Structures are given as structure tokens and as C-alpha cells.
Amino acid sequence: MRSRRKLIALVGVSAALAALFALLAVGLINRSPVTGRSGLTRVGKAAPEFSMPLLRGGTFELSAHRGNPIVINFWASWCPPCRQESPALERTWRAYAGKGVQFVGVDIQDSPEDARAYLSEFDLTFPNGMDRDGKITIDYGVIGLPITFFIGAEGIVEGRWVGALPEGKLVDWVEALLAGMTPSGDMEGENPEGYFRFE
């Protein structure tokens, strides 16, 4: 009788362990990288419309720039990878502003004072505003910083880059948008080391 109970207990423990290992395996197989889901659902779809107060006065309306490629960069002054990529964004903006591309920065989870100090520190001249109620962040599926969206002239999100954006990739994708093409290579790119995920 005792040996039968031991056998039943052993079978039960073995089944429980097998189920646990199966769950772990499924979790590891389906695991996406830390950057994987930020903005994922936006690529290939119409860019969500938004209106945003600018930090230096005025308002940015996305619809007012329809017909031109648009680069939307989500950032915050407290985000180290954002600080890493800001000089390249400004250099590229200055190089391509006269060619019909529009850059805009969306500052999130920040104070107006810190955001303005950041603009001054990096001498950012392209429009930058604050997502005060978080709606733009939610609409674009942003779950970490920085993230940059590339919108074609027809208003479709043609690509996204999650994490600090290398300047060469930024220039390549801006040129592709100006040529009316999807950014070269994958429509998505990421830099996991240069990414700050919200907890």
C-alpha cells in the first residue's frame, strides 16, 4: 500500500515538474526583447493624429504637415539614451529641414522647466512639445524611451527605431522617406543597450 502511494506521489511530482518546464519553455520561446513591443502596432498603419503645445510657444498639429515626411522622436530630459541621440537628431534636422522633412519631438513624463533646459542644452531647433496627459504616448504604443517613428508623406508609419538612434541609420531612413520609399532593411530597428523601458 505504501509503495503504491509513493508511486502515485512520484508520478504527481513528475507531472508537475514536466508542466512547469513546459511553461518555462513556452515563455522563453515567446519572449520578446525588452524593446520589442514599444510602438510595434503602429508600423504600416496611419499615424495617429495629435495636437501638442510646443515648449517655445505655439502648437504642433500633425495634420498640418501631411504631404511631407515626418520624424517623431519621443524623449525625456531624464533619459540617458535620449541625451545620447539628441545631437544627431539636431544635425540631421538642420541638414534636411529645407528638403521637406519635418522633425518633431514629444517630451513625456517631464517638467516644463527641465524640458526647456534640455532644449537649450542641446540647442534643439526643431519643434518640441509636451505630451501632458499621456494621450500621444498611449496612441503610439510607447512603453520606453527613446523611440522614433518615420512617417511617409501619405501619413503612414513606415518605420520605427527603439532606443538611441544611430546617426547613419537616421540619415538613411530620412533619405528613403524623401524618396517616397520605405526605410531600407527592416521597418523596425532597435538598440537595446540605448533604451530605457518604463517600469
Side-chain angles (χ1 to χ4, degrees):
M1 191 70 152
R2 271 201 325 205
S3 62
R4 187 171 179 196
R5 283 186 191 155
K6 282 184 180 179
L7 181 61
I8 291 171
L10 184 60
V11 168
V13 169
S14 298
L17 285 172
L20 176 63
F21 284 122
L23 284 172
L24 286 171
V26 168
L28 288 172
I29 290 168
N30 292 325
R31 199 173 123 195
S32 62
V34 68
T35 62
R37 301 207 61 80
S38 197
L40 181 68
T41 60
R42 297 292 7 129
V43 178
K45 297 179 182 169
E49 179 56 45
F50 65 87
S51 176
M52 174 180 66
L54 294 174
L55 286 157
R56 292 183 170 139
T59 302
F60 182 89
E61 301 270 350
L62 187 67
S63 59
H65 301 278
R66 181 63 58 86
N68 292 319
I70 303 170
V71 176
I72 303 175
N73 177 254
F74 285 81
W75 62 276
S77 65
W78 45 262
C79 162
C82 300
R83 305 179 76 80
Q84 178 185 338
E85 72 176 3
S86 280
L89 285 163
E90 180 62 23
R91 281 192 297 270
T92 308
W93 158 248
R94 291 184 186 197
Y96 287 90
K99 299 181 180 180
V101 67
Q102 178 63 57
F103 278 42
V104 63
V106 180
D107 177 38
I108 64 177
Q109 298 182 1
D110 226 337
S111 72
E113 297 77 23
D114 288 344
R116 287 188 189 97
Y118 184 92
L119 297 186
S120 296
E121 179 181 348
F122 292 100
D123 194 22
L124 299 181
T125 60
F126 57 91
N128 277 274
M130 295 192 77
D131 183 16
R132 293 189 176 153
D133 60 5
K135 183 176 184 324
I136 305 169
T137 303
I138 292 168
D139 287 349
Y140 278 80
V142 174
I143 60 171
L145 294 174
I147 182 167
T148 306
F149 293 91
F150 296 82
I151 302 170
E154 301 302 315
I156 303 299
V157 178
E158 299 290 352
R160 69 169 185 148
W161 187 276
V162 183
L165 178 57
E167 189 166 0
K169 183 63 75 172
L170 173 60
V171 168
D172 287 349
W173 284 18
V174 165
E175 288 186 352
L177 289 178
L178 286 169
M181 300 183 303
T182 298
S184 61
D186 292 334
M187 293 191 308
E188 303 174 45
E190 63 180 36
N191 176 4
E193 291 76 33
Y195 178 73
F196 182 89
R197 182 171 179 149
F198 304 149
E199 295 299 330

